[in-house]
Amino acid sequence: MSLIDKTFSPADFEQRWYAHWETVGAFRPERPDAQPYTIIIPPPNVTGSLHIGHALDNTLQDVLIRWHRLNGRDARWVVGTDHAGIATQMVVERQLADSAQGTTRQQMGRAAFLETVWDWKRSSGDTITRQLRRLGASCDWANERFTMDEGFNTAVTRVFVKLFNEGLLYRDKRLVNWDPKFKTAISDLEVETREVAGTFTHIRYPLADGVKLADGRDHIIVATTRPETMLGDTAVAVNATDARYTSVIGKFVELPITGRRIPIVADDHADPELGSGAVKITPAHDFNDFEVGKRQGLAMINILDADARIIAAEGVPASYVGMDRFDARKQVVADLEALGLVELIETKTIQMPYGDRSGVVVEPWLTDQWYVNAGELAKPALAAVKSGATQFVPKTWEKTYFNWMENIQPWCVSRQLWWGHRIPAWYGPKITDHEGLKTDISSGDNHFFVAETEAEAIAQAVAYYGAKVGKVEVAASAFDVLRLTLDEARETGTSSTVHIYRDEDVLDTWFSSALWPFATLGWPENTADLARHYPGDVLVTGFDIIFFWVARMMMQGIHFMDDVPPFKTVYCHGLVRDAKGQKMSKSKGNTVDPLLLIDKYGADALRFTLTAMESQGRDIKLDEKRVEGYRNFATKLWNAARFCQSNGISASKSAQPPAANHPVNRWIIGEVAKTARGLEAAIAAFRFDSYADISYGFAWNRFCDWYLELTKPMLAEGADPDIAAETRAVSGWALDQILVMLHPVMPFLTEELWHKLGQRGHDLIVAEWVPADLPDDAAASADIEWLIGIVSEVRSARTELNVPPGAKLGYSVEGADTATAERLTANAAAIERLARIVPATTPATGGRLQLVHADATYALPLEGIIDLDAERARLAKAQATAVKERDSLAGRLASPGFTEKAKPEAVEKAREDHAARSAEAERLGAALARLG
RNA sequence: GGGCGCGUAGCUCAGCGGUAGAGCACUGCCUUCACACGGCAGGGGCCACAGGUUCAAACCCUGUCGCGCCCACCA
């Protein structure tokens, strides 16, 4: 216990307390018999640094974790970081490029590059976890995980192999979204559609063999936003019902520039209502056309390489080869114009697919990739939410989830990157009869072995080849998983030496993230942690990753954890925007750095702000003024504690309230109880804003503004020593409860004050929550509410009539019953102090200030001091208000519909209000009459 | 083209069947022995608009207008 400093300076103690908590293991106290409460953190990218969205997400989680820890639960916040495939590889590649040597990963080779990434991770990967500590996040750091640590790798491999063996994961050749910048496939979700100004080029395709359309024209018009794709066209589709074209179905067009003849086919994809009704078909570079191509058995001509440059495909003029797609686009249009085949070029807004990380236009590209049969896994994940086993809060997100899950597409999980979980598949030459062995990954003419370990893959290979060719010997040198290239394998021809190599690709980062809720707890081992902490109680995350992450965790969790979904509740919060409501982005320069806010106002103030602004179903517009306001609140609390300390108030002995006789003390105990119950309800309903409002209102507007003020005379010199002692005890207890109640949101400040106020047996972080069943004394409550009312009335009237604030006035009372008279006597000291009025020796007669409160009228003699006209006006206004409300209530009560149909409580309340308003109006009328 | 959300005091938002609330901002007074990052008192709202349901609507229903977001292969 030490003296509380005059100034509140959060930087002085925040980091000290955090280090203390972590050192003593306070984030995860031993509570083997307690009911577990588990939250798994959305693992931040290891490349990341704390942005305001993290601050929100983690503040909310910490509020929940700390609250449940205070409530006796075995609270565990599972923490770790995500390897973030593309993002991390990008960071390291950029560093390599910027380094003195200026090297690339290709130059380094895979092994050396990966070693560099790991080095980077070891040296810089803890930035964000250090920042989470600044925020106060009480995570279980002792068991921190990484999505590429050894255990995770085991889990990922197990999942891959198991899904493969179950037929839920397969290799397929189809169109993928190809990112030419990163040179990898990406999933549908990683593609974002942007509206851009583009052109829509209408091209004439000349009909071959002198064929003419019904209207006599010798060409078909097709339109495209990507003219260069015409180099890969293999058909023109028309609708079989379209009279304009029926005569040419089965005929051909001369594909310009390429000199190829391509068929005119009938397909429902062509909509007679749109454009010319005819569509160019490029099966290798358009998702719709791919489907048409499969239906019609068309050739698929790939015209692009991995960099999206034109290749020497069939019919592509040599001048195009090696040309960038956008240059090729211009060239195609120029060439067509030269041929007189451009019908029209429209300028219009078009939808273009971009890679969400690379920011370049993605290309549909035909490749072999690994896919997860998401449609199958989605079924139980959908059912789990439908049945309520997992609930979304706010509920509205369930619809979004359903809609996506019901229309889910195969999930492309392979990525042509190096940083990530390498796919546990090995390829060897596919055996074809009489041709010996032939190896070719790009043609798909190979056989693959999916296994958890290399040894197992070899065993499979031995079995496979052994069955076909008899005796197989595996030489260690022959089994080269890293160095053997495709071409070397091809050269092996019919040799009896079989080379097997491992898939070069890695898995989508989200493939491993999807296992986070159980792989972090030791799966696939059957650990005690897993049994105790799966499923998690609540997942707190932004709605923007419902598809990326939540849905996939649901799918994998249910599939691998015996049909138990990974969370009971999914709480989705909104985005943090700037004060104007704009999305924060680095390019706009409107980002708010949470660490700067912490430096300036303290972590508690930032946390309180984010908590207070988190109302369900809405984005947060963050204004620094709010943070400042809640810093002021922190200061207020600091000063209140300082005041208490200087008045001999200190740590309470017990979480149970001290015995109290005085109404003020009995009242505040009841108020603490009400507040605690309100906060419990707020947590149960995930109403973070409500938690902040209730705790703020109680601490400031009840405890500081009234309780501390009302008890000042009770602590003053000359006051009853018994009452003073009781008041000190109750004050200390109430202040402790405030610290407990605010701790989840403002952990640093409250812990600091907790210890400053006295010797404690334990830290606040592991204290007990406000006890249930606190006495709630209705009589004491009525007494104090009455007192607050009378003081407020007097102060209001004084201000309105410009009575000098310091002037102490005598009052006389009329109409007071015994109870009121007793209250006036019992609270005389408080009334004198706060309203500056004392009982008059003689009743007021002349000019006076009159006020009506409850059942009595009070008169303050102010002859010559106040303006009587002003007083008349004040009373008249009050009376008018009372009359208006009285009449309105009377009107309602007079309506038969109301008394017959309304709920009895509503009728009863209207009657009571009406009576009270009538009496008030009457008394105000009498007061006016007295003034003359 | 589907789906979702929002429009309440100057600003940011609660309230979601019984005739309007908070914080900030604003105005006046107060250098009162915890706090001026404070105290006390106050002004300010046809709850977007139009219909409907109801004894009663900011709150429920329908439509309109504005704003935002998500999903979707109109070539």
Side-chain angles (χ1 to χ4, degrees):
Chain A
M1 173 164 156
S2 59
L3 234 50
I4 298 171
D5 289 343
K6 191 164 164 54
T7 51
F8 162 63
S9 165
D12 292 348
F13 52 81
E14 288 189 350
Q15 304 206 38
R16 173 164 51 81
W17 280 118
Y18 198 91
H20 169 79
W21 291 326
E22 193 169 356
T23 308
V24 302
F27 295 150
R28 202 180 164 208
E30 288 278 328
R31 288 178 182 173
D33 301 325
Q35 192 189 350
Y37 181 81
T38 311
I39 294 181
I40 59 152
I41 199 170
N45 286 358
V46 68
T47 50
S49 54
L50 196 79
H51 59 61
I52 196 74
H54 290 122
L56 170 66
D57 190 51
N58 290 291
T59 294
L60 301 181
Q61 291 175 75
D62 201 38
V63 167
L64 292 172
I65 278 286
R66 286 181 186 268
W67 192 88
H68 285 92
R69 193 185 290 120
L70 288 170
N71 278 270
R73 301 280 290 269
D74 177 13
R76 177 158 179 201
W77 187 359
V78 178
V79 71
T81 49
D82 192 290
H83 68 277
I86 291 181
T88 309
Q89 184 163 319
M90 251 170 75
V91 166
V92 177
E93 284 196 79
R94 200 181 306 130
Q95 278 188 358
L96 287 175
D98 293 348
S99 69
Q101 303 92 309
T103 182
T104 67
R105 69 179 161 103
Q106 287 83 1
Q107 284 169 339
M108 293 178 80
R110 185 170 188 136
F113 177 74
L114 289 179
E115 199 39 59
T116 308
V117 182
W118 277 108
D119 283 344
W120 179 89
K121 193 257 171 190
R122 277 185 285 266
S123 64
S124 314
D126 64 343
T127 303
I128 191 146
T129 55
R130 276 188 284 110
Q131 292 170 331
L132 282 171
R133 288 173 166 94
R134 286 291 311 280
L135 185 69
S138 59
C139 310
D140 179 22
W141 297 109
N143 296 293
E144 185 180 344
R145 297 299 300 270
F146 180 52
T147 56
M148 260 176 64
D149 64 27
E150 220 182 305
F152 243 89
N153 196 256
T154 306
V156 166
T157 308
R158 172 72 53 91
V159 165
F160 188 98
V161 173
K162 206 157 175 250
L163 288 177
F164 174 80
N165 289 334
E166 290 166 341
L168 291 168
L169 186 150
Y170 54 91
R171 194 160 168 82
D172 196 10
K173 183 192 271 302
R174 48 183 283 178
L175 287 187
V176 287
N177 300 294
W178 184 261
D179 186 318
K181 180 172 174 192
F182 293 133
K183 287 182 244 180
T184 178
I186 56 178
S187 73
D188 297 347
L189 281 179
E190 290 160 279
V191 176
E192 71 177 42
T193 307
R194 295 190 201 161
E195 285 200 340
V196 294
T199 54
F200 197 44
T201 308
H202 301 249
I203 310 170
R204 293 189 204 118
Y205 279 5
L207 288 156
D209 310 319
V211 171
K212 298 245 189 309
L213 293 183
D215 65 3
R217 279 187 298 152
D218 61 355
H219 60 266
I220 291 183
I221 294 171
V222 294
T224 178
T225 57
R226 298 184 297 152
E228 74 282 8
T229 60
M230 61 84 59
L231 297 172
D233 282 4
T234 57
V236 168
V238 296
N239 198 289
T241 64
D242 192 337
R244 291 171 293 181
Y245 300 112
T246 40
S247 65
V248 298
I249 291 170
K251 306 286 197 270
F252 293 84
V253 297
E254 301 280 1
L255 186 63
I257 300 176
T258 67
R260 287 193 281 114
R261 278 160 60 91
I262 58 173
I264 297 162
V265 300
D267 194 284
D268 283 343
H269 171 59
D271 183 346
E273 304 294 315
L274 293 175
S276 68
V279 194
K280 66 190 273 302
I281 301 296
T282 323
H285 295 287
D286 182 282
F287 289 98
N288 286 319
D289 295 0
F290 180 72
E291 296 304 320
V292 175
K294 280 206 296 194
R295 274 199 295 274
Q296 304 289 342
L298 300 174
M300 303 205 178
I301 299 180
N302 175 32
I303 61 160
L304 294 175
D305 67 11
D307 291 300
R309 287 182 307 229
I310 306 295
I311 59 172
E314 186 191 346
V316 173
S319 60
Y320 277 91
V321 176
M323 199 181 273
D324 176 78
R325 54 184 161 159
F326 298 117
D327 296 332
R329 179 172 303 171
K330 287 184 202 134
Q331 192 59 48
V332 163
V333 173
D335 287 353
L336 289 172
E337 268 176 337
L339 293 168
L341 295 176
V342 174
E343 173 81 9
L344 170 69
I345 298 181
E346 283 179 80
T347 306
K348 66 177 199 178
T349 307
I350 54 174
Q351 316 274 324
M352 288 294 269
Y354 283 79
D356 63 353
R357 292 222 163 246
S358 67
V360 303
V361 176
V362 301
E363 292 290 336
W365 206 39
L366 193 58
T367 55
D368 287 294
Q369 303 286 345
W370 290 96
Y371 291 89
V372 166
N373 182 347
E376 202 54 38
L377 290 173
K379 287 177 194 164
L382 210 42
V385 176
K386 289 239 156 100
S387 74
T390 297
Q391 293 186 310
F392 278 77
V393 177
K395 209 171 175 54
T396 166
W397 293 113
E398 289 183 358
K399 256 182 212 159
T400 307
Y401 175 87
F402 291 149
N403 185 49
W404 189 70
M405 286 295 228
E406 280 159 5
N407 297 296
I408 199 162
Q409 297 300 309
W411 173 19
C412 174
V413 294
S414 42
R415 295 288 180 278
Q416 287 65 52
L417 303 171
W418 285 353
W419 177 244
H421 291 281
R422 194 157 170 187
I423 289 173
W426 284 261
Y427 300 91
K430 185 172 190 172
I431 297 167
T432 46
D433 288 340
H434 310 300
E435 280 185 40
L437 304 175
K438 187 182 167 202
T439 304
D440 186 350
I441 183 171
S442 62
S443 74
D445 275 332
N446 50 68
H447 191 85
F448 51 81
F449 310 97
V450 171
E452 288 191 41
T453 62
E454 192 175 296
E456 214 179 287
I458 292 172
Q460 284 184 25
V462 168
Y464 174 75
Y465 295 111
K468 294 281 184 180
V469 302
K471 195 178 165 214
V472 174
E473 280 181 49
V474 181
S477 60
F479 193 91
D480 190 343
V481 296
L482 289 176
R483 304 289 292 281
L484 194 72
T485 65
L486 187 61
D487 287 334
E488 281 168 330
R490 206 178 253 141
E491 280 166 18
T492 59
T494 57
S495 156
S496 58
T497 306
V498 174
H499 294 269
I500 299 175
Y501 52 95
R502 184 168 181 174
D503 197 318
E504 295 282 328
D505 294 347
V506 300
L507 287 162
D508 181 5
T509 303
W510 297 105
F511 188 90
S512 51
S513 313
L515 319 182
W516 189 246
F518 50 97
T520 46
L521 297 169
W523 190 91
E525 300 303 317
N526 233 330
T527 62
D529 266 355
L530 196 57
R532 189 165 174 77
H533 292 286
Y534 186 96
D537 286 86
V538 55
L539 173 76
V540 179
T541 192
F543 65 81
D544 50 327
I545 55 172
I546 289 177
F547 304 146
F548 276 111
W549 193 45
V550 180
R552 279 135 178 202
M553 285 191 287
M554 290 292 288
M555 294 193 273
Q556 301 288 42
I558 292 170
H559 191 74
F560 287 97
M561 293 297 295
D562 298 325
D563 295 328
V564 179
F567 332 97
K568 293 166 194 143
T569 301
V570 175
Y571 181 84
C572 296
H573 58 250
L575 258 45
V576 183
R577 299 168 176 278
D578 73 7
K580 290 181 202 132
Q582 295 198 305
K583 203 166 168 174
M584 289 190 189
S585 74
K586 280 180 197 154
S587 55
K588 270 190 229 155
N590 62 342
T591 53
V592 173
D593 183 351
L595 294 157
L596 292 180
L597 291 175
I598 289 172
D599 289 341
K600 200 163 165 192
Y601 302 105
D604 290 330
L606 174 63
R607 292 168 59 110
F608 204 95
T609 305
L610 293 170
T611 306
M613 298 186 80
E614 174 56 22
S615 56
Q616 289 177 6
R618 212 187 244 271
D619 286 347
I620 290 179
K621 288 182 199 165
L622 184 65
D623 186 343
E624 191 170 328
K625 297 287 281 181
R626 290 293 290 263
V627 188
E628 189 186 331
Y630 290 121
R631 187 273 321 268
N632 295 351
F633 172 57
T635 309
K636 181 77 181 178
L637 198 64
W638 182 267
N639 281 305
R642 199 159 67 89
F643 167 79
C644 286
Q645 188 181 55
S646 69
N647 278 278
I649 292 160
S650 60
S652 55
K653 301 279 178 284
S654 150
Q656 290 299 328
N661 290 311
H662 196 286
V664 176
N665 290 329
R666 296 174 73 80
W667 165 75
I668 200 68
I669 293 169
E671 291 293 297
V672 166
K674 267 187 239 165
T675 305
R677 304 299 84 88
L679 295 180
E680 288 155 14
I683 288 287
F686 295 98
R687 287 308 303 253
F688 295 96
D689 54 344
S690 171
Y691 195 99
D693 289 347
I694 291 170
S695 53
Y696 180 102
F698 175 68
W700 198 321
N701 304 128
R702 296 262 109 177
F703 184 76
C704 289
D705 289 351
W706 288 106
Y707 181 73
L708 291 184
E709 295 303 328
L710 289 170
T711 52
K712 276 176 182 172
M714 294 155 67
L715 299 171
E717 273 181 59
D720 181 326
D722 290 340
I723 290 178
E726 174 190 302
T727 300
R728 285 198 176 85
V730 172
S731 299
W733 175 83
L735 182 56
D736 274 2
Q737 304 317 304
I738 288 173
L739 296 180
V740 167
M741 293 189 287
L742 280 171
H743 182 262
V745 193
M746 303 186 122
F748 295 111
L749 163 71
T750 51
E751 186 75 82
E752 174 74 2
L753 291 176
W754 175 260
H755 288 281
K756 289 272 190 194
L757 285 165
Q759 279 299 323
R760 305 283 186 169
H762 52 78
D763 293 328
L764 177 58
I765 188 176
V766 291
E768 281 177 63
W769 180 251
V770 184
D773 308 320
L774 289 175
D776 188 1
D777 187 329
S781 177
D783 281 350
I784 304 307
E785 295 306 338
W786 170 87
L787 174 58
I788 289 172
I790 183 77
V791 168
S792 300
E793 288 280 358
V794 174
R795 294 209 285 217
S796 177
R798 289 178 67 123
T799 303
E800 214 163 321
L801 294 175
N802 288 316
V803 178
K808 197 169 280 185
L809 309 171
Y811 70 87
S812 52
V813 59
E814 183 181 288
D817 59 15
T818 326
T820 303
E822 278 172 12
R823 281 169 167 170
L824 283 168
T825 311
N827 296 293
I831 291 172
E832 179 181 345
R833 188 186 158 81
L834 299 177
R836 303 197 72 76
I837 57 172
V838 291
T841 41
T842 53
T845 48
R848 58 193 145 177
L849 189 168
Q850 298 173 91
L851 54 94
V852 169
H853 175 250
D855 58 346
T857 305
Y858 300 80
L860 312 180
L862 284 167
E863 183 78 64
I865 298 177
I866 60 163
D867 178 347
L868 285 184
D869 287 337
E871 171 64 353
R872 255 181 229 109
R874 189 184 70 87
L875 288 171
K877 191 180 159 199
Q879 190 198 27
T881 305
V883 165
K884 190 181 157 206
E885 290 194 27
R886 179 198 66 195
D887 292 349
S888 159
L889 287 160
R892 206 195 303 176
L893 286 163
S895 148
F898 179 67
T899 43
E900 283 160 24
K901 294 180 184 171
K903 281 175 291 191
E905 310 91 84
V907 177
E908 185 51 34
K909 184 170 184 304
R911 287 211 171 99
E912 281 169 15
D913 290 351
H914 178 256
R917 286 310 192 174
S918 301
E920 189 186 355
E922 219 166 285
R923 267 182 264 115
L924 285 162
L928 270 171
R930 271 192 296 272
L931 267 187

